[in-house]
Amino acid sequence: MNRLSLTAVAGGLMVLASCSQEDVTIQKSQDGYPISFRAGVLTRVNPDLNYEKNPATFYVSAYAPNHMSDSGITPDSLFWDEPFYLMGANLYASSSNQKWPSREQADKVEFFAYAPSLDEIQNAALTQVNPNDTRLIDNYKNSIKFFNLCNDNVPLDPMGQQLTTFAGVQLYKGFKLGRFYVATDISKQVDFITSHISADVPESEDAANLGVELKFKHQLANIELRAFSGNSMYNIEIAGVRIGRPYTGGAIFNFCDGKGGVDFAEGGQWGISKSPQRLPVEYIYGAGDEIYRMGAFNNLTSDGQVLQSPAHTTSATALSIMGKGGNAMVLPTLNAAWAGEENPWIASKYSAEQDGKDPKAWDPVNEGDMYFSILIRVTLKPQASEINTAQIYPYGNNTTMNVVCLEKEKNSNKIVGRVENKNVTPGANNEIVEFGWAAVPVGVNWERGKKYVYTLDFSEGVGVQDPEDPKPGTAIIGEGIKFSVSVEGWDDQTYNTNVPQE
């Protein structure tokens, strides 16, 4: 997953590869002392900062509140979107050697920091867009940027939207990211962290060399799905996940509160449109992923013996089914559960416009549309020494569902890649297997900075057909998928931010 680039903090001076061609020096000049930072991500489990794994680079804008610009209208901006690189021993510096103002010029400086870069945020957002739709691509690129500082109590029209379209949020002066779009491919999503501090201008070189401490916070929600099945008749294999439909676009992040203040615990706020964009986000296992198996499977050993390997049959043995895509990073979302057969055709309401507009959405107050969908293959449990057993789902008549065909190694669970259909000739030691989507309605109220873990129980059934299928909401096998949810520390797996929740 394309998360924040993280670097373990170690002693000694180090220059990252991303800035290896530029010399970063720290020296006093007549303009003031060089600006440097110490940075970590706040944890909720431990009130201290996590300095073990930090962003390799973050971006800072700064201004001196009581030092006015030449116009005399707004505070003087020191710099905008300046990259600060990790230099070692948790010290960050800029390649351009940005300086503090003198004490005569100002006594405080406001710093606003974020990561990853706007380019990375844009690239993630563009996974929503048809690569041939140049107009929509330009619209996205032009809208994903920070606003300049506005005057006190002057409402800001966020990217052409009226203030009334944002629920309960008055977007006054301050630094704002607009707009934010979530990648629809989970493997290409990015984490988004921010920090703000009002720092005193240092009076000495020693004070400046200590660096300003930035306390970053996660501003997205982290979603993980786990699964198990204690079914006595069927084996279930998983090869993908879909989260439908969280907020995926049209959000404005504002470092300031409703009146332009910047000193509040959350470090900023999201302005979510009353009619936000909602699209499914998903990850289908690819090359190198291993199919997640629930049940007792017979396997041949190297000497031809049959070995039964039960896996993930109880809640205690349930593990993540997110694959190499990693956990989903989504905008804070409040949405009611999809009604299944009572409201089957929700997919048709999300067709993308061809004239450069965003995909359609509708009011979630009147119609809930939230669900999870799991890409599954259901087979009978083996009898005695059986190796291959009958496939129960996807059905033989595939006109009632969307089928995903994957090529896998015959003697392992490892996926080689996705293929167009089951008639493709696989490699000599490979085979083609079919998977279909199985959905479970779920209502959510996801808050930023929190990780939500859903444990799905397939013991009594495998859910209903996906909203994207020809017969959405139709029961597949047995009863619906049961689930439980817990809020845990921010995930520490390799592809994520590797820190607990704030």
Side-chain angles (χ1 to χ4, degrees):
M1 183 175 288
N2 184 18
R3 306 305 193 184
L4 294 181
S5 176
L6 302 178
T7 301
V9 175
L13 185 65
M14 175 181 65
V15 180
L16 297 179
S18 59
C19 61
S20 60
Q21 295 181 350
E22 300 183 67
D23 294 328
V24 182
T25 59
I26 296 182
Q27 60 183 7
K28 182 181 176 183
S29 77
Q30 61 182 8
D31 299 322
Y33 301 106
I35 295 173
S36 62
F37 295 98
R38 291 171 291 120
V41 182
L42 285 173
T43 73
R44 193 166 286 183
V45 177
N46 186 331
D48 297 328
L49 289 178
N50 184 329
Y51 286 130
E52 294 179 359
K53 296 272 181 92
N54 289 333
T57 307
F58 53 78
Y59 300 81
V60 183
S61 296
Y63 73 94
N66 60 350
H67 182 225
M68 305 307 288
S69 63
D70 293 339
S71 67
I73 298 175
T74 59
D76 190 19
S77 301
L78 301 181
F79 50 83
W80 293 89
D81 287 350
E82 179 73 24
F84 278 75
Y85 304 107
L86 180 60
M87 301 299 295
N90 197 40
L91 180 69
Y92 291 80
S94 65
S95 59
S96 58
N97 201 24
Q98 293 291 343
K99 304 294 198 308
W100 289 93
S102 68
R103 294 284 295 184
E104 291 75 21
Q105 293 173 314
D107 57 4
K108 285 184 177 295
V109 173
E110 302 280 348
F111 295 106
F112 298 90
Y114 68 95
S117 69
L118 291 184
D119 284 342
E120 290 175 273
I121 293 172
Q122 284 184 352
N123 290 337
L126 290 175
T127 64
Q128 293 189 7
V129 182
N130 183 323
N132 297 319
D133 191 341
T134 55
R135 180 177 176 182
L136 191 54
I137 289 173
D138 288 341
N139 286 348
Y140 271 49
K141 286 184 176 180
N142 290 334
S143 67
I144 302 171
K145 59 186 178 182
F146 272 94
F147 292 97
N148 291 339
L149 185 70
C150 297
N151 294 333
D152 286 341
N153 301 320
V154 177
L156 180 67
D157 181 7
M159 302 311 299
Q161 294 292 317
Q162 297 300 314
L163 290 175
T164 54
T165 65
F166 287 83
V169 177
Q170 291 293 311
L171 298 175
Y172 284 98
K173 77 159 191 177
F175 297 94
K176 306 170 181 70
L177 174 66
R179 303 178 175 262
F180 192 95
Y181 294 87
V182 170
T184 50
D185 179 345
I186 292 175
S187 68
K188 297 200 170 47
Q189 291 178 337
V190 295
D191 192 5
F192 177 55
I193 59 174
T194 68
S195 181
H196 160 261
I197 190 170
S198 178
D200 293 333
V201 174
E203 297 182 350
S204 68
E205 185 174 5
D206 287 343
N209 289 341
L210 288 176
V212 176
E213 186 175 64
L214 289 178
K215 300 178 180 181
F216 281 94
K217 294 184 178 182
H218 297 284
Q219 298 297 353
L220 300 175
N222 184 322
I223 312 301
E224 179 184 355
L225 305 184
R226 302 174 184 174
F228 73 96
S229 174
N231 192 285
S232 60
M233 296 180 61
Y234 306 116
N235 282 335
I236 300 173
E237 297 173 283
I238 292 175
V241 295
R242 175 180 289 163
I243 298 175
R245 295 178 170 80
Y247 299 157
T248 54
I252 304 289
F253 183 80
N254 189 354
F255 277 100
C256 304
D257 64 16
K259 296 182 179 179
V262 292
D263 295 320
F264 59 114
E266 293 80 3
Q269 63 180 329
W270 285 106
I272 306 291
S273 171
K274 290 182 179 179
S275 183
Q277 181 196 81
R278 302 179 189 275
L279 292 170
V281 298
E282 67 181 28
Y283 176 70
I284 295 176
Y285 292 4
D289 277 301
E290 291 202 5
I291 294 170
Y292 184 95
R293 286 181 154 187
M294 300 184 292
F297 294 83
N298 284 343
N299 301 289
L300 282 176
T301 63
S302 58
D303 59 0
Q305 299 296 310
V306 175
L307 179 66
Q308 190 173 83
S309 56
H312 313 306
T313 55
T314 67
S315 59
T317 60
L319 296 177
S320 173
I321 60 173
M322 306 303 290
K324 289 188 175 181
N327 294 350
M329 300 285 184
V330 297
L331 288 161
T333 297
L334 173 62
N335 195 11
W338 171 45
E341 285 189 301
E342 297 177 16
N343 177 25
W345 296 105
I346 65 174
S348 63
K349 299 185 180 183
Y350 285 89
S351 59
E353 296 284 358
Q354 299 301 313
D355 61 355
K357 296 181 181 178
D358 290 345
K360 295 178 181 178
W362 85 92
D363 188 351
V365 175
N366 298 319
E367 287 188 278
D369 59 347
M370 192 70 197
Y371 67 94
F372 299 148
S373 209
I374 315 301
L375 192 61
I376 66 170
R377 179 173 182 257
V378 182
T379 55
L380 289 175
K381 284 190 180 293
Q383 299 294 321
S385 60
E386 281 185 300
I387 301 298
N388 298 313
T389 58
Q391 177 175 299
I392 306 301
Y393 186 80
Y395 306 133
N397 179 4
N398 294 336
T399 60
T400 63
M401 76 195 74
N402 294 318
V403 174
V404 175
C405 294
L406 299 175
E407 182 176 355
K408 65 175 286 288
E409 295 177 354
K410 285 183 178 179
N411 296 322
S412 78
N413 299 328
K414 188 171 291 186
I415 292 173
V416 177
R418 186 173 177 177
V419 295
E420 186 176 350
N421 56 60
K422 65 180 181 180
N423 297 319
V424 172
T425 302
N429 298 314
N430 301 335
E431 61 183 339
I432 307 297
V433 289
E434 296 179 310
F435 288 82
W437 292 101
V440 52
V442 54
V444 303
N445 184 8
W446 292 330
E447 299 178 10
R448 57 185 169 165
K450 294 183 179 180
K451 175 188 172 183
Y452 297 84
V453 178
Y454 291 82
T455 301
L456 308 180
D457 180 1
F458 288 79
S459 300
E460 304 299 325
V462 298
V464 299
Q465 291 194 42
D466 186 273
E468 308 286 344
D469 283 338
K471 293 186 177 181
T474 303
I476 299 172
I477 300 171
E479 300 177 7
I481 302 168
K482 297 180 174 65
F483 66 88
S484 61
V485 60
S486 62
V487 181
E488 299 187 358
W490 195 272
D491 191 77
D492 61 357
Q493 63 183 355
T494 303
Y495 349 93
N496 286 337
T497 321
N498 210 16
V499 291
Q501 67 185 40
E502 62 164 275

